[in-house]
Amino acid sequence: MIGRIAGILLEKNPPQIVVDVHGVGYEIDVPMSTFYGLPATGQPVTLFTHLAVREDGHFLYGFACADERAAFRQLLKVSGIGARTALAVLSGLSVTDLAQAVALQEAGRLVKIPGIGKKTAERLLLELRDKLGKALPTLGATVPAGAAALPADSRSDILNALLALGYNEKEALGAMKAVPEDSGVSDGIRLALKSLSKA
């Protein structure tokens, strides 16, 4: 297994790049989130990689960080999700956004990604629900504790209410940290608003 590549960036043709490692050019497919952060051609680059061996060839995928690669590997385990779809998901959502969408069971954020229909989005959310957090070492910092603890429907209702009131997503998710695990929707909204008024 090739787990990491460090070399000189030779070509950038999204979603594929070519990295020269001691005279050998590796063709690597990357999500757009990684692509946008790449240096100029001719510059050194280091990527975390995933090697997929299939009947029609060996394919190398590259990622800017270990969490991105871990999320990609979890996406591949979902039935019906191939490498291209997994790359599309990570191109459309950051790992943090994906983790929050899974924690809040928000299919709406996934169906905006090309190639992801409602059924696929729901399957992704269901299958990643208990797995994504364990796969990402820094997930605790990306999903608010209060949001992760509440039942999925309560979390969504509270978050949607805050968004409808004009708060942005970052403010709304931050406010949910102040909501205890056993709060109902109305109490949760009240506590979240109280938290926002102090901010």
Side-chain angles (χ1 to χ4, degrees):
M1 179 66 73
I2 300 172
R4 190 169 166 272
I5 287 274
I8 302 298
L9 185 59
L10 289 185
E11 296 176 24
K12 293 200 287 187
N13 301 302
Q16 193 174 81
I17 63 172
V18 178
V19 177
D20 179 284
V21 183
H22 302 299
V24 178
Y26 289 88
E27 293 181 345
I28 305 170
D29 281 5
V30 298
M32 296 311 294
S33 50
T34 291
F35 190 87
Y36 293 138
L38 289 171
T41 53
Q43 296 298 310
V45 66
T46 300
L47 295 169
F48 291 89
T49 56
H50 173 83
L51 176 65
V53 179
R54 300 205 309 253
E55 286 182 13
D56 55 341
H58 293 198
F59 300 88
L60 201 56
Y61 301 94
F63 307 94
C65 64
D67 274 359
E68 205 170 54
R69 181 178 63 183
F72 177 79
R73 288 174 171 170
Q74 287 301 316
L75 285 164
L76 290 182
K77 292 177 183 177
V78 175
S79 55
I81 300 296
R84 290 224 174 276
T85 305
L87 283 181
V89 170
L90 291 174
S91 292
L93 290 173
S94 70
V95 175
T96 302
D97 289 341
L98 175 61
Q100 289 175 348
V102 171
L104 299 170
Q105 292 291 289
E106 291 185 324
R109 292 172 77 174
L110 292 173
V111 295
K112 293 176 184 174
I113 298 165
I116 302 288
K118 190 180 178 192
K119 285 186 178 179
T120 304
E122 288 171 351
R123 189 167 66 244
L124 273 169
L125 293 176
L126 182 67
E127 294 194 31
L128 290 176
R129 191 168 186 173
D130 299 321
K131 297 173 186 170
L132 195 62
K134 294 172 187 171
L136 303 176
T138 60
L139 186 64
T142 62
V143 178
L150 286 169
D153 52 349
S154 297
R155 289 197 308 267
S156 278
D157 290 346
I158 294 168
L159 184 70
N160 289 334
L162 295 173
L163 294 173
L165 289 168
Y167 293 100
N168 66 37
E169 194 173 59
K170 186 178 179 183
E171 291 170 332
L173 286 167
M176 290 176 75
K177 291 179 185 176
V179 180
E181 292 181 22
D182 55 351
S183 294
V185 176
S186 56
D187 283 343
I189 294 169
R190 184 175 52 80
L191 289 167
L193 289 172
K194 190 175 178 183
S195 168
L196 283 162
S197 69
K198 292 177 184 174

